[in-house]
Amino acid sequence: MGESPAKNHYAQLNQGEENEMDIFGYKTQSCRKALCITGYILSCGALWLLFHWKPEWNVWLNCIRCSLEEADIVLLRTTDEFRIYSRETVTWISASAFIKSGSEYPATAEEDSIFNKAIMKPSFQVKTIQVQKIRYIWNICAKQFQKVGVLEDHHTCSAIHAKFGSGLTCDEQNIRRVICGPNTIDVPVIPIWKLLIKEVLNPFYVFQLFSVCLWFAEDYMEYATAIIIMSLLSVFLTVYDLRQQSIKLHSLVESHNNVTVTVCRNKEDLQELESHHLVPGDMLVLKQGKTLLPCDAILISGQCIVNESMLTGESIPVTKTHLPQADNFKPWRTYCAEDYKKHVLFCGTEVIQTKADDRGVVKAVVLRTGFNTAKGDLVRSILYPKPMNFKLYRDALRFLMCLIAFAAIGMIYTICVFALNGEEAGEVVKKALDVITIAVPPALPAALTTGIIYTQQRLKKKGIFCISPQRINMCGQLNLICFDKTGTLTEDGLDLWGLLPSERNCFQDIHSFPEDRNLPWGPVFRAMAVCHSLIVWEGKIQGDPLDVKMFETTNWVIDDSNGYQTEGSTHATVVRPGPKATIAPVEGVTILHQFPFSSSLQRMSVIAQEIGGDQQVFTKGAPEIVAMLCRAETVPSNFESKLLLYTAQGFRVIGLAWKSLQTGKLPTALSREEVESDLTFLGLLIMENRLKKETKPVLEELSAACIRSVMATGDNIQTAITVAKNAGMISPAHRVILVEANKVPGSVSASITWKPLEENQTEDCRNLVSIKHKKQTERRINLALGHGQYHFAMSGKSYQIVAQHFRHLLPKLLLNGTVFARMSPGQKSSLVEEFQKLDYFVGMCGDGANDCGALKVAHAGISLSEQEASVASPFTSRIPSIACVPELIREGRAALVTSFCMFKYMALYSTIQYLGVLLLYWQLNSFGNYQFLFQDLAITTVIGMTMSFTGAYPKLVPYRPPSQLISPPLLLSVVLNILFSLSMQIFGFVVVQEQPWYSKTDLHRGCLSMKNHMENSSYSLGLHGVRDGAHEQTDNGYRSYENTTVWLLSTINCLIVALVFSKGKPFRQAIYTNYVFILVLIGQLGICLFLMFADIDDLYSKMDLVCTPTTWRISMVVMLAVTLAVSFLVEEAVIENRPLWLLLKKTFRYHSKSHYKRLQHVLEQDSDWPPLNDTLFSDSVTITVEGSVGGHSNPTFDSSEDSL
C-alpha cells in the first residue's frame, strides 16, 4: 500500500462547521482482538471498563491504522479544546434491489449526484457511518465521507426548478430512501435499564462499588449499607430525571414524524405517502389549510404564510416566497445571499396559509430530512451539548488526584508498619486499601450535587428554570452580560409617536398620534394601509408588532372573506376602510405581490392596486436605505439632521416611499430591483420603544457590582446609544466614540475611523455651538479618555469588517465596546465568542430566536422566551424581565462558594480521619466500625446535606468569588487547618501516654484512679472485675486510651471545620440564617460531648471507647476550644482578609492572567489610544473569518428584530 494508508488515514468531517471533527481510519485485527478479550477475562472486566471510559485506547489496541477507504472502524475526535474521542463502526447498505439489471448506474436525476458517486460496482453497496444521528456515505471519487439527507449545495436556482420541478421517479425515490434513511427525528425514550447501566458505569460509582466491597470484607456493614442506599437513591433520581428529559424530547419531535404528505412523481400523478418516506429532491405539493412541515423544503412556486414560533420563539407569521428562476451559474444559496431563508420552509413549523400563483398549486422541493433539518439541528444540540471548560471542574480532578497521591503515601506507610509487625498478607492488603477509601471521600460528588440541586430549587421558586445544572456555578463568575434590546431592555410593543410627512423635498409639520385628527387620504395613508405582511389568523390580525401598530392607526381592516381561492387562482389580500376610518375615495386596496422584509436589504415592498385603479409600489424600511432608493429631488435636504434628531432621542424611525407602476408585466414577473427604484420619498414614521421599568435599576446594580453590560441589537445605532444612555449602560459623564469601518471601493483593503459622538452632529447643529463650548467639550472628552471613561459603538457591518481586516484592533475595541447595533444573529454569536477569547465570563440575555445562537455559546444563556426555540438555552426565565440576571448571578456566586466550602470540608474531614487512622496504625490499632460509622454517617453525611441550605446574599458585591480550587487563599486555608488538626491529634496521642493513669493493658485504670479506694475498694474491685469480664467478651482490639482520645478529638474537629468553613457574607447569607445546619451542628456537638463525658458501659463498649478521668476530658475540650479559636481567627483575619491579599498581590507585583486585564493595563499606558478623528487603512491582505464571525445561529431565523 506504500504511503497510501498514512496519507489517507486522516480527514476532517463537517469542515468549518460547528460540529467539525477529525476522523481516522482503522482496521480490526483478529489477533489483537483475541488478546484484548483475554485481557477482559483476566482483569475481571476492568480492562473493558477502562476501554468504555477511553474509546480511543480500545481502537488503538484492537485495530491497526489504515486508509479511510479500507477502514471498518473510524475514530472521531472533536477539534475543540476538549478533543473528545468517540468510536463508530462502518456499515454497508445494499441498493441492488432498486437498480435495474444490466444498467451501468442507478436511475437518478443527475449523473454528478453524490448517490451515483457512492454506489460501488458491481455489488451496488454503499459504505456509511452514523455520527451524532447524521448519516455520512463514502464518496468513491472524492475519497471522503459526505453527509446525506441534504440536497447538494452546488445546484443553481434554475437547476432546482429544472431537475426537481417535476418530482423524482419511483426508482430515484427508492434509491435515495435506502441511502439517506427515513425522514424522522427519532428520539426514542431510553429504556430504564440502559440509563441505569450507563449511570452505574460512571467512574464515581465504580469507586463506590470498590469501597463497598472492601467494607463488606472488613465487616463494616452499616456504612456500606448506608452508602449503597444513598448511591441507589442518587442513581434512581438521576435516571428518573434523564428519563423525564427523554420523554419530553420524544414528545417534542414525535408529531413531525407521522404526517401524511402529497408528493409529485415524475411522469406520474400526485401520490400521498407517510412523511418518513420523504427524501431530498422530492416534490411536495402544499394544499390549502394548516400543514405541519416534516422536513426542510425550498418553495419553488406560490407563496406561504408560516408560523415559525416553534423554532424562532416569535409568534409572528412569516411570508415565504418562491425561489426565483434565475439563469446564472451561482449556487442557489450564494445567489440568494442572506435572503435564502425567505424561500425555505423549515421542519417543525406550520404552514397556515398558501397562495398559489399563475402556475397553479404551491410546490416545494425537499431540501433536508431527519436530523439535518432545522428542528433536527435543535434536537441534536440538546442530545449532544457542547462540554464546558470551567476551572472549578478541572481543579476538582486535580484535587482528587492529590488526595489519591496522599492516599498512596498512607498505603506505603500502612504496608511497612503492618508487614514489619508480622501481620498476615491479606490483612495488610485490606488495611492498605482501606486508606484509599478514607483519604478519598466517596460522598464528595453526592455532597457537591446536593448544593447544586438546592440552588436549582431556589431558582425555580424565583421563576428561573435550568436545563444545565453544571452551569449554575459558572454564573458565579459572570463579569460581562450581553443584552438584546427590544423585548429585553425595552418593552415588546411599540407606540406610534408621530409621522413626519415630506412633500416637494421638504418636511411638513409633524403629525402626532393619537391626539391629532386622522390622517388625510393620500400616498402616506395608502403606504401605512398596505405596506406590511399582516394576515388575519384565528380572527385576529397577526404579524410584526410594528406593522400591526402602523395598520391599526389607519382604522382600516383586512378583508379575509376571499381568503381561500380555488386552486390555480392568485390569492391576494384586500384591505378596506373600517367603521371608524376616514372617508376614502376607494372601496379598498388589493395587495397584489409582496417582497418580504429582508435583514440584509433592511426594507420590504408591496405592489398594490386600488380597486378599479392603477398599480402602485410602496416601500418601507431603514430611512437611510429608503432614501437611497428614492429620486434625489424628492428627499429633503435636512433629511440627515431630522433623522439624527429623532434617533438620538431613542425613537425607532421608519422611512416610507412610493411610486406609480406603469408596466405591462404581471406583478409576479417583476424583479425586486425594477420595483424598488426611482421612488418618491414620503416621510418618516416615528415609533416609541419604552424602557422596561426594571431595566435601569438592574443595570445600575450590575454596574455597582463591576459587571459590564453590553448591548447587541438589530436596531439603528443612534437609537441603541440613546437607549444605552437612558438605561444607565453609558454614564452621562462618559464619552461615546463611533467606530466606522468601510471597505475601500475598488480595493480589497478597508478603512476604520474613530469619531466622538459630539463630532457626529449635522452642520446646522455645529454652527450653533460656540467656540468656548467646543473647547469645553474637547477638554471633557480628553479628561474622560484619560480616565478610560469612554465607550465604543459600532454597527454589525463595521464589526464584520474589523474582524476581517483589523483583527489586531478587535480586542482593543471590545475592551470598551458597549453598543453593537444592526447585528445579525451570527454576529451576536461571534461577539459572545470574541468576548470569551478575552477571558470574560459572558452571560447572554435575550428573548427571541435571533439570540438563540448567542444564548447557546455564552457561559450562561438566559432566555426570556418559553418557546421551543429557547430549549437550547441553559436558563429560561418565566418572567420576561432582566431582573433574573442579578438573581442568577447571586445564586451562582452562592453555589460556587458552597462548592468551595464543600471541597474544603470534605478534604479536611477525610484528612482528619486519615491522620487519626495512621496515628493508630502505629500501634497496630484503628477506629472501630461504629466509630467510622458515626463520623461518616452521623457527622459528615448530615453536614454535607445541610451545609448547602444557606441562601445567596441579597447584595452583589463589586468582586467575584475565586474561580479555582488551586488558589493561594484556599490552599493556605486547607493546609493550615490540616496542620492544626495534625498538631492537636499528635499532641493528644502523645500526651495521653504521659498521663499517670495511662496503661496499655488496664483500660479501666483511668476511671478507677478518680475513685476513693478507701471508701469503695470492694465495690471498685468488684466493678473492675465485671468490666474486665465485659472487656474479655466485647473488646475487639480497637479499645485504647489513644483510640478514645484521637477519635473524640477528630470527631469534634470535623464539626469545628464545618463551622469555620461555612462562609456567610459577602456571597452567602450569614450562617445563622441556615437554621437546619445550626441545629444539626448543635445536636452533633451535644452527642459528641455526651459521648465524651458519659460513662455508660454498654455505650462505650459498642463505640469502642474507654473511660478517662474528667480532668483529661476537660483537657480535650480545651484543646478543641484552642483549635476552634485559632482556626476561626486564621480564617477571618488571613484567609478572608481581602485587603491583605490585595496588598500581597501589589507587593509581589502579581498581575491577572486574564487577557482583558492585561490588555487594559497596556492601553492605560498608551496615550495614543483611542485615536480620535483618525482614519486607519488596512493592508491588502485580509483574514478570512467566515467560521468565527458566523457563529452559531438558529437556521430558521432571519433577523428582522429592530432592523428597520
Side-chain angles (χ1 to χ4, degrees):
M1 289 190 293
E3 289 182 12
S4 179
K7 186 180 175 184
N8 300 320
H9 165 68
Y10 157 81
Q12 277 200 328
L13 215 57
N14 309 318
Q15 198 165 5
E17 294 180 32
E18 192 188 11
N19 56 342
E20 182 182 84
M21 287 183 173
D22 294 328
I23 180 169
F24 305 89
Y26 286 90
K27 191 187 284 185
T28 309
Q29 206 172 38
S30 302
C31 59
R32 286 185 174 217
K33 197 168 184 178
L35 282 171
C36 285
I37 291 168
T38 308
Y40 298 159
I41 296 163
L42 294 176
S43 64
C44 300
L47 184 64
W48 177 87
L49 196 61
L50 190 63
F51 286 171
H52 173 74
W53 294 332
K54 289 281 186 182
E56 64 272 28
W57 293 4
N58 184 357
V59 173
W60 293 336
L61 289 173
N62 272 293
C63 311
I64 56 167
R65 283 175 53 165
C66 68
S67 67
L68 285 165
E69 192 171 9
E70 297 171 304
D72 58 8
I73 297 287
V74 293
L75 188 63
L76 299 142
R77 183 180 67 197
T78 59
T79 54
D80 57 18
E81 61 198 293
F82 303 100
R83 298 172 80 81
I84 297 166
Y85 283 92
S86 57
R87 172 187 183 274
E88 297 294 342
T89 305
V90 175
T91 55
W92 292 87
I93 296 171
S94 175
S96 57
F98 303 105
I99 297 172
K100 294 172 184 175
S101 55
S103 68
E104 288 295 315
Y105 53 83
T108 58
E110 332 141 66
E111 288 187 26
D112 62 342
S113 163
I114 177 65
F115 301 102
N116 285 342
K117 293 173 182 175
I119 298 174
M120 295 188 177
K121 318 294 188 308
S123 61
F124 299 117
Q125 285 190 317
V126 180
K127 184 178 181 177
T128 75
I129 56 170
Q130 187 143 321
V131 182
Q132 293 185 351
K133 303 284 186 182
I134 299 287
R135 184 176 286 185
Y136 298 83
I137 61 174
W138 180 255
N139 184 327
I140 301 164
C141 304
K143 295 198 180 298
Q144 64 180 22
F145 281 104
Q146 279 182 235
K147 194 186 291 185
V148 286
V150 295
L151 204 63
E152 287 104 316
D153 285 336
H154 63 77
H155 294 298
T156 62
C157 295
S158 53
I160 288 173
H161 281 275
K163 291 178 180 177
F164 305 105
S166 305
L168 301 173
T169 64
C170 279
D171 286 342
E172 287 173 335
Q173 211 267 352
N174 287 333
I175 289 166
R176 286 175 183 242
R177 189 190 305 165
V178 77
I179 293 173
C180 294
N183 170 42
T184 54
I185 301 172
D186 188 25
V187 184
V189 177
I190 305 167
I192 290 171
W193 66 269
K194 273 191 179 179
L195 290 170
L196 270 171
I197 289 172
K198 189 179 178 183
E199 191 63 22
V200 167
L201 291 179
N202 184 303
F204 158 61
Y205 288 116
V206 172
F207 175 67
Q208 279 203 334
L209 182 66
F210 160 77
S211 303
V212 165
C213 290
L214 184 65
W215 293 332
F216 274 121
E218 294 182 330
D219 292 328
Y220 186 28
M221 301 290 186
E222 293 84 354
Y223 188 58
T225 308
I227 284 289
I228 289 171
I229 291 166
M230 284 170 61
S231 299
L232 286 175
L233 191 64
S234 175
V235 166
F236 285 131
L237 282 172
T238 307
V239 167
Y240 174 77
D241 194 36
L242 290 170
R243 174 81 173 179
Q244 290 303 107
Q245 285 181 23
S246 182
I247 291 167
K248 189 178 177 183
L249 201 55
H250 177 75
S251 60
L252 187 76
V253 297
E254 191 181 19
S255 56
H256 309 123
N257 292 335
N258 297 304
V259 180
T260 303
V261 292
T262 305
V263 293
C264 182
R265 284 276 169 266
N266 198 352
K267 301 172 186 174
E268 295 179 36
D269 293 332
L270 298 180
Q271 179 183 343
E272 285 201 350
L273 76 163
E274 292 294 314
S275 60
H276 62 263
H277 292 308
L278 288 174
V279 296
D282 261 334
M283 171 61 64
L284 278 176
V285 176
L286 301 171
K287 296 185 175 177
Q288 288 289 359
K290 291 184 181 180
T291 309
L292 198 63
L293 283 162
C295 61
D296 289 355
I298 311 169
L299 197 63
I300 63 165
S301 72
Q303 191 173 305
C304 290
I305 307 289
V306 183
N307 173 21
E308 292 187 340
S309 65
M310 283 182 284
L311 284 179
T312 66
E314 297 179 3
S315 54
I316 298 169
V318 180
T319 303
K320 301 285 183 175
T321 57
H322 65 77
L323 187 75
Q325 283 190 328
D327 192 15
N328 62 61
F329 301 104
K330 287 183 182 177
W332 71 278
R333 280 185 64 161
T334 309
Y335 174 77
C336 299
E338 289 181 34
D339 286 335
Y340 82 93
K341 296 183 185 110
K342 294 294 176 190
H343 313 304
V344 178
L345 307 170
F346 292 101
C347 175
T349 62
E350 187 180 37
V351 176
I352 52 179
Q353 200 177 88
T354 56
K355 299 181 181 180
D357 56 18
D358 49 353
R359 285 174 285 179
V361 293
V362 178
K363 293 180 180 179
V365 173
V366 174
L367 174 64
R368 292 180 284 255
T369 57
F371 280 95
N372 294 292
T373 61
K375 185 85 172 182
D377 185 61
L378 187 64
V379 172
R380 284 197 319 118
S381 72
I382 300 164
L383 289 172
Y384 307 101
K386 188 178 176 182
M388 282 190 312
N389 183 16
F390 190 34
K391 288 176 185 173
L392 174 66
Y393 302 117
R394 291 203 311 270
D395 288 351
L397 289 172
R398 292 174 189 163
F399 175 80
L400 287 173
M401 291 299 112
C402 290
L403 289 180
I404 290 167
F406 205 38
I409 296 167
M411 281 179 72
I412 296 165
Y413 164 84
T414 304
I415 291 165
C416 293
V417 168
F418 281 92
L420 289 172
N421 282 279
E423 287 284 331
E424 289 180 16
E427 279 300 309
V428 173
V429 169
K430 277 199 288 185
K431 293 288 184 189
L433 290 175
D434 207 20
V435 171
I436 296 177
T437 65
I438 293 168
V440 184
L444 175 61
L448 289 173
T449 306
T450 306
I452 295 295
I453 289 168
Y454 293 155
T455 307
Q456 210 173 344
Q457 287 172 347
R458 285 198 295 268
L459 286 171
K460 197 172 180 180
K461 286 177 185 174
K462 291 168 182 173
I464 302 166
F465 297 93
C466 174
I467 62 162
S468 183
Q470 66 270 32
R471 286 189 187 255
I472 291 173
N473 277 334
M474 261 191 174
C475 295
Q477 282 294 300
L478 295 181
N479 56 357
L480 186 148
I481 312 291
C482 285
F483 291 99
D484 176 34
K485 185 180 78 67
T486 304
T488 304
L489 297 174
T490 61
E491 298 286 355
D492 255 329
L494 289 160
D495 291 318
L496 196 56
W497 184 84
L499 172 72
L500 191 64
S502 169
E503 283 182 28
R504 295 182 298 279
N505 83 338
C506 288
F507 282 118
Q508 307 301 302
D509 292 338
I510 192 157
H511 183 100
S512 296
F513 296 100
E515 295 85 2
D516 283 6
R517 54 185 168 73
N518 287 339
L519 269 176
W521 175 257
V524 174
F525 188 97
R526 292 197 295 277
M528 291 173 67
V530 301
C531 195
H532 53 73
S533 54
L534 301 174
I535 63 160
V536 176
W537 182 30
E538 295 178 349
K540 287 177 69 180
I541 292 174
Q542 302 275 359
D544 188 283
L546 186 151
D547 287 353
V548 172
K549 188 62 73 174
M550 180 183 76
F551 182 71
E552 283 176 350
T553 307
T554 64
N555 290 320
W556 278 38
V557 294
I558 297 174
D559 181 5
D560 62 337
S561 57
N562 64 339
Y564 298 101
Q565 300 287 329
T566 55
E567 278 189 19
S569 67
T570 303
H571 183 124
T573 303
V574 178
V575 293
R576 302 179 190 276
K580 298 179 183 177
T582 311
I583 297 169
V586 293
E587 185 188 335
V589 182
T590 307
I591 302 169
L592 301 173
H593 188 63
Q594 278 183 30
F595 293 97
F597 175 81
S598 157
S599 60
S600 59
L601 300 175
Q602 294 180 19
R603 63 182 182 269
M604 75 159 292
S605 297
V606 296
I607 299 172
Q609 183 176 27
E610 293 176 15
I611 294 174
D614 294 330
Q615 291 181 8
Q616 297 165 337
V617 172
F618 294 95
T619 300
K620 82 168 191 295
E624 316 92 281
I625 304 296
V626 171
M628 283 163 50
L629 300 174
C630 295
R631 301 196 313 277
E633 64 271 17
T634 67
V635 180
S637 56
N638 60 342
F639 168 81
E640 286 185 10
S641 63
K642 286 289 184 186
L643 177 60
L644 185 60
L645 175 69
Y646 291 108
T647 55
Q649 294 175 61
F651 291 112
R652 263 181 83 181
V653 183
I654 313 297
L656 300 173
W658 83 297
K659 74 173 179 181
S660 190
L661 199 60
Q662 304 295 331
T663 175
K665 290 185 183 178
L666 286 167
T668 51
L670 291 167
S671 70
R672 191 161 192 158
E673 290 75 19
E674 288 178 83
V675 169
E676 294 174 338
S677 60
D678 297 325
L679 300 171
T680 299
F681 187 74
L682 286 175
L684 299 173
L685 200 61
I686 301 157
M687 310 196 87
E688 191 175 21
N689 196 196
R690 295 191 184 95
L691 277 179
K692 289 181 177 177
K693 66 178 184 297
E694 63 275 2
T695 295
K696 195 166 184 178
V698 166
L699 293 181
E700 284 173 353
E701 185 181 5
L702 293 177
S703 178
C706 293
I707 296 168
R708 269 187 72 187
S709 298
V710 169
M711 185 193 294
T713 176
D715 206 343
N716 174 284
I717 195 162
Q718 291 288 349
T719 306
I721 290 168
T722 306
V723 170
K725 284 183 172 180
N726 294 341
M729 206 176 267
I730 297 173
S731 166
H734 294 183
R735 312 304 341 137
V736 177
I737 300 167
L738 291 178
V739 179
E740 291 180 10
N742 294 289
K743 289 189 177 177
V744 177
S747 167
V748 290
S749 65
S751 67
I752 182 169
T753 308
W754 289 265
K755 297 178 188 173
L757 193 62
E758 286 80 1
E759 297 295 311
N760 200 46
Q761 295 170 347
T762 59
E763 198 64 41
D764 293 341
C765 297
R766 273 197 217 107
N767 294 335
L768 298 173
V769 180
S770 66
I771 294 168
K772 184 181 177 184
H773 183 66
K774 276 187 179 179
K775 285 180 180 176
Q776 285 175 347
T777 303
E778 283 173 17
R779 202 178 299 118
R780 276 204 327 272
I781 291 169
N782 292 332
L783 191 66
L785 298 181
H787 290 89
Q789 296 173 337
Y790 58 90
H791 302 261
F792 290 126
M794 67 171 82
S795 67
K797 186 189 101 177
S798 295
Y799 172 80
Q800 189 91 10
I801 292 167
V802 168
Q804 288 177 333
H805 296 267
F806 302 96
R807 191 79 194 172
H808 64 290
L809 289 176
L810 189 59
K812 295 181 180 181
L813 293 170
L814 293 182
L815 200 63
N816 285 81
T818 301
V819 175
F820 297 85
R822 297 280 191 233
M823 296 287 278
S824 70
Q827 286 168 344
K828 286 184 182 182
S829 302
S830 167
L831 180 69
V832 169
E833 287 174 332
E834 291 299 333
F835 275 125
Q836 287 172 332
K837 286 176 189 174
L838 289 175
D839 297 327
Y840 279 108
F841 280 85
V842 186
M844 175 73 202
C845 184
D847 70 326
N850 51 339
D851 308 310
C852 193
L855 290 169
K856 191 176 164 187
V857 298
H859 289 112
I862 310 152
S863 172
L864 304 184
S865 163
E866 291 190 73
Q867 295 285 352
E868 285 178 19
S870 64
V871 79
S873 175
F875 300 95
T876 305
S877 174
R878 184 191 289 160
I879 303 156
S881 155
I882 65 166
C884 63
V885 175
E887 201 60 65
L888 191 59
I889 295 171
R890 274 192 285 272
E891 289 293 349
R893 286 180 173 187
L896 188 56
V897 170
T898 300
S899 295
F900 286 134
C901 292
M902 198 60 72
F903 264 111
K904 285 169 69 175
Y905 173 72
M906 284 293 180
L908 260 296
Y909 141 71
S910 58
T911 308
I912 288 166
Q913 198 178 70
Y914 168 82
L915 293 172
V917 168
L918 293 189
L919 273 174
L920 295 175
Y921 274 2
W922 187 255
Q923 292 188 331
L924 305 184
N925 199 350
S926 181
F927 291 154
N929 280 356
Y930 283 104
Q931 290 177 330
F932 273 125
L933 188 66
F934 186 81
Q935 282 189 350
D936 293 339
L937 200 60
I939 301 288
T940 303
T941 304
V942 178
I943 285 174
M945 290 175 70
T946 56
M947 188 188 269
S948 306
F949 280 143
T950 311
Y953 192 64
K955 186 185 175 185
L956 281 176
V957 292
Y959 52 92
R960 299 171 294 158
S963 63
Q964 49 191 24
L965 277 169
I966 316 298
S967 64
L970 195 139
L971 286 176
L972 186 63
S973 174
V974 170
V975 170
L976 286 176
N977 277 284
I978 287 173
L979 290 175
F980 298 153
S981 178
L982 181 62
S983 304
M984 182 177 65
Q985 289 192 40
I986 291 174
F987 183 79
F989 183 80
V990 171
V991 172
V992 76
Q993 296 175 14
E994 303 298 320
Q995 298 305 306
W997 43 262
Y998 173 79
S999 170
K1000 279 191 176 182
T1001 53
D1002 185 358
L1003 300 181
H1004 309 287
R1005 190 175 169 190
C1007 279
L1008 287 173
S1009 67
M1010 297 170 357
K1011 301 187 182 296
N1012 187 331
H1013 289 278
M1014 296 298 291
E1015 293 179 7
N1016 303 298
S1017 62
S1018 62
Y1019 169 75
S1020 298
L1021 287 169
L1023 181 66
H1024 187 270
V1026 171
R1027 284 189 173 172
D1028 270 350
H1031 174 67
E1032 284 168 16
Q1033 291 171 15
T1034 62
D1035 186 24
N1036 53 17
Y1038 294 127
R1039 301 178 75 191
S1040 70
Y1041 289 115
E1042 292 91 342
N1043 173 293
T1044 300
T1045 301
V1046 170
W1047 185 79
L1048 285 169
L1049 289 175
S1050 63
T1051 304
I1052 299 176
N1053 197 11
C1054 287
L1055 303 182
I1056 289 171
V1057 294
L1059 181 69
V1060 169
F1061 288 164
S1062 293
K1063 293 175 189 169
K1065 287 168 59 175
F1067 303 113
R1068 301 202 307 169
Q1069 289 177 12
I1071 187 172
Y1072 58 78
T1073 61
N1074 187 348
Y1075 308 118
V1076 178
F1077 181 61
I1078 292 295
L1079 288 172
V1080 161
L1081 281 183
I1082 292 169
Q1084 289 173 334
L1085 181 62
I1087 294 167
C1088 289
L1089 291 174
F1090 175 76
L1091 287 172
M1092 186 182 281
F1093 287 97
D1095 186 12
I1096 303 168
D1097 285 340
D1098 290 342
L1099 179 63
Y1100 270 36
S1101 177
K1102 199 79 172 169
M1103 293 300 296
D1104 296 310
L1105 297 173
V1106 294
C1107 184
T1108 58
T1110 305
T1111 52
W1112 180 245
R1113 302 180 203 194
I1114 292 167
S1115 301
M1116 285 195 284
V1117 171
V1118 171
M1119 282 187 248
L1120 289 162
V1122 170
T1123 305
L1124 171 62
V1126 172
S1127 184
F1128 190 80
L1129 189 68
V1130 166
E1131 196 73 18
E1132 289 301 313
V1134 180
I1135 308 301
E1136 294 298 310
N1137 190 339
R1138 183 173 162 79
L1140 174 67
W1141 288 102
L1142 290 174
L1143 182 66
L1144 287 170
K1145 279 184 177 182
K1146 195 174 180 181
T1147 306
F1148 293 102
R1149 294 183 180 177
Y1150 171 82
H1151 295 293
S1152 171
K1153 292 178 182 176
S1154 298
H1155 191 173
Y1156 76 91
K1157 286 272 189 186
R1158 295 204 309 269
L1159 188 59
Q1160 218 165 28
H1161 184 69
V1162 169
L1163 293 183
E1164 280 169 7
Q1165 316 301 319
D1166 188 353
S1167 58
D1168 295 328
W1169 182 263
L1172 291 180
N1173 297 312
D1174 197 5
T1175 302
L1176 184 68
F1177 291 88
S1178 71
D1179 297 330
S1180 56
V1181 180
T1182 64
I1183 301 165
T1184 305
V1185 286
E1186 294 287 324
S1188 64
V1189 172
H1192 170 84
S1193 62
N1194 187 321
T1196 63
F1197 190 78
D1198 191 1
S1199 176
S1200 61
E1201 182 261 337
D1202 293 347
S1203 291
L1204 291 178

